[in-house]
Amino acid sequence: MGSVQRAMRLLESVAEHEHGAPAKQLARETGLALPTAYHLLRTLVHEGYLRRDKGLFFLGEAAERLSSSGAEQKRRSTVVEALAHWRDLIGVPVYYAQYRNGEIEVLCVSDSPGNPAVEEWADFRETGHAHAIGQCLLAQLDDEARRDHLDRYPVQSITPYTVRDGHSLLRRLERTARMEPVTERQEYALGTVCAAVPITLGNAAATMAISLPAHQADRLPAATQQLQEEIGRLMGSLAISISI
């Protein structure tokens, strides 16, 4: 355990020196005897956590991978915490999704026993035409990208309320303002109404969405507006995190 702690102190010390540091300086900063510091530094270099160049030590690829992974986890944690906060504040399940590499990807869902999420009984990726998340993402794409998606995933009836054909869907999407929330009522799942708020960061298409039981449909407009306001309030801090 002592060796691990000393090695971690060395890694932390190296990380503070953007332009590298020699062994003697690192030993002094960490309070280690020079022979001990040399031994641990050689081991860390061998394992890829440090690299040595002209007598100076720098973070190695293994340490950088850890740092990158940790940053990604932190960004994801920020999104998870925001969704959980909105779930409790508004009293609805909250979803986060992106359109990436030609696919609809639901990246995070926050629900509770009292407010369960919609069951994915038909693949969300293949039924984007039928749910608010998919419609919101498709509305943010250009016409060519929309048609490409629908060529790969043609419109099909999911419930009696589902849009009937691709032409009808495209007309609906064309009438949807770029930053306007999208709502659907029982098009994907009977007994459920949903709304999705568009989020556009550069060329990325993303959305935060909510769902409610159909008998609570009268709550949908106010809940959607509240979600929009909350997203606007946290957008600055979420901007980097939601690009995961």
Side-chain angles (χ1 to χ4, degrees), residues 71-126:
E72 182 174 339
Q73 290 179 14
K74 185 175 181 180
R75 291 197 300 271
R76 181 173 178 82
S77 177
T78 299
V79 175
V80 170
E81 290 172 4
L83 264 63
H85 172 68
W86 296 333
R87 175 202 66 203
D88 296 339
L89 181 68
I90 307 172
V92 295
V94 186
Y95 312 75
Y96 170 59
Q98 282 188 7
Y99 195 84
R100 300 197 301 191
N101 301 318
E103 300 291 348
I104 293 168
E105 297 185 19
V106 178
L107 300 174
C108 187
V109 179
S110 186
D111 65 352
S112 65
N115 294 295
V118 176
E119 180 183 355
E120 187 180 357
W121 71 275
D123 193 325
F124 282 146
R125 293 171 300 176
E126 299 178 5

Side-chain angles (χ1 to χ4, degrees), residues 47-59:
E47 297 296 331
Y49 290 99
L50 294 179
R51 61 182 176 86
R52 187 176 183 181
D53 184 22
K54 298 179 181 178
L56 301 178
F57 291 90
F58 302 82
L59 290 179

Side-chain angles (χ1 to χ4, degrees), residues 1-9 32 36 40:
M1 181 62 72
S3 294
V4 172
Q5 291 173 333
R6 289 190 288 270
M8 292 302 295
R9 296 209 315 260
L32 297 176
T36 301
L40 290 172

Side-chain angles (χ1 to χ4, degrees), residues 70 80 98 122 140 143 161 220 230:
V80 170
Q98 282 188 7
Q140 296 176 61
D143 184 64
Y161 303 95
L220 192 62
E230 290 297 320

Side-chain angles (χ1 to χ4, degrees), residues 146-168:
R146 286 179 200 157
R147 292 181 182 277
D148 172 72
H149 183 90
L150 295 176
D151 283 343
R152 289 181 289 115
Y153 301 115
V155 170
Q156 55 181 311
S157 293
I158 304 298
T159 76
Y161 303 95
T162 306
V163 64
R164 291 304 176 202
D165 56 68
H167 293 298
S168 299

